[in-house]
PDB file of all heavy atoms in Angstrom:
ATOM      1  N   ASN A  32       2.955  29.274  83.806  1.00 43.00           N
ATOM      2  CA  ASN A  32       3.703  30.402  83.419  1.00 43.00           C
ATOM      3  C   ASN A  32       5.104  30.462  83.884  1.00 43.00           C
ATOM      4  O   ASN A  32       5.855  31.431  83.562  1.00 43.00           O
ATOM      5  CB  ASN A  32       3.004  31.679  83.943  1.00 43.00           C
ATOM      6  CG  ASN A  32       1.653  31.888  83.363  1.00 43.00           C
ATOM      7  OD1 ASN A  32       1.682  32.147  82.051  1.00 43.00           O
ATOM      8  ND2 ASN A  32       0.705  31.987  84.100  1.00 43.00           N
ATOM      9  N   PHE A  38      13.131  38.694  82.767  1.00 78.00           N
ATOM     10  CA  PHE A  38      14.040  39.556  83.522  1.00 78.00           C
ATOM     11  C   PHE A  38      13.633  41.100  83.520  1.00 78.00           C
ATOM     12  O   PHE A  38      13.806  41.673  84.451  1.00 78.00           O
ATOM     13  CB  PHE A  38      15.401  39.364  82.895  1.00 78.00           C
ATOM     14  CG  PHE A  38      16.411  40.085  83.624  1.00 78.00           C
ATOM     15  CD1 PHE A  38      16.882  39.732  84.790  1.00 78.00           C
ATOM     16  CD2 PHE A  38      16.989  41.150  83.054  1.00 78.00           C
ATOM     17  CE1 PHE A  38      17.940  40.453  85.611  1.00 78.00           C
ATOM     18  CE2 PHE A  38      18.023  41.933  83.836  1.00 78.00           C
ATOM     19  CZ  PHE A  38      18.420  41.524  85.105  1.00 78.00           C
ATOM     20  N   SER A 137      -1.054  33.357 103.437  1.00 95.00           N
ATOM     21  CA  SER A 137      -1.040  34.739 103.169  1.00 95.00           C
ATOM     22  C   SER A 137       0.302  35.224 103.130  1.00 95.00           C
ATOM     23  O   SER A 137       1.077  35.001 104.048  1.00 95.00           O
ATOM     24  CB  SER A 137      -1.934  35.564 104.041  1.00 95.00           C
ATOM     25  OG  SER A 137      -2.011  36.986 103.668  1.00 95.00           O
ATOM     26  N   PHE A 152      -6.403  45.399  92.868  1.00 93.00           N
ATOM     27  CA  PHE A 152      -7.396  45.921  93.810  1.00 93.00           C
ATOM     28  C   PHE A 152      -7.743  44.769  94.682  1.00 93.00           C
ATOM     29  O   PHE A 152      -7.635  43.587  94.348  1.00 93.00           O
ATOM     30  CB  PHE A 152      -8.655  46.457  93.114  1.00 93.00           C
ATOM     31  CG  PHE A 152      -9.324  45.556  92.280  1.00 93.00           C
ATOM     32  CD1 PHE A 152     -10.359  44.615  92.563  1.00 93.00           C
ATOM     33  CD2 PHE A 152      -8.848  45.587  90.934  1.00 93.00           C
ATOM     34  CE1 PHE A 152     -10.934  43.832  91.644  1.00 93.00           C
ATOM     35  CE2 PHE A 152      -9.558  44.676  89.911  1.00 93.00           C
ATOM     36  CZ  PHE A 152     -10.501  43.966  90.304  1.00 93.00           C
ATOM     37  N   VAL A 157      -5.758  36.424  91.186  1.00 94.00           N
ATOM     38  CA  VAL A 157      -4.526  36.428  90.482  1.00 94.00           C
ATOM     39  C   VAL A 157      -3.913  34.982  90.498  1.00 94.00           C
ATOM     40  O   VAL A 157      -4.352  34.122  91.345  1.00 94.00           O
ATOM     41  CB  VAL A 157      -3.477  37.369  91.158  1.00 94.00           C
ATOM     42  CG1 VAL A 157      -3.878  38.825  91.091  1.00 94.00           C
ATOM     43  CG2 VAL A 157      -3.265  37.070  92.706  1.00 94.00           C
TER      44      VAL A 157
END
Side-chain angles (χ1 to χ4, degrees):
N32 289 302
F38 184 71
S137 181
F152 53 88
V157 292

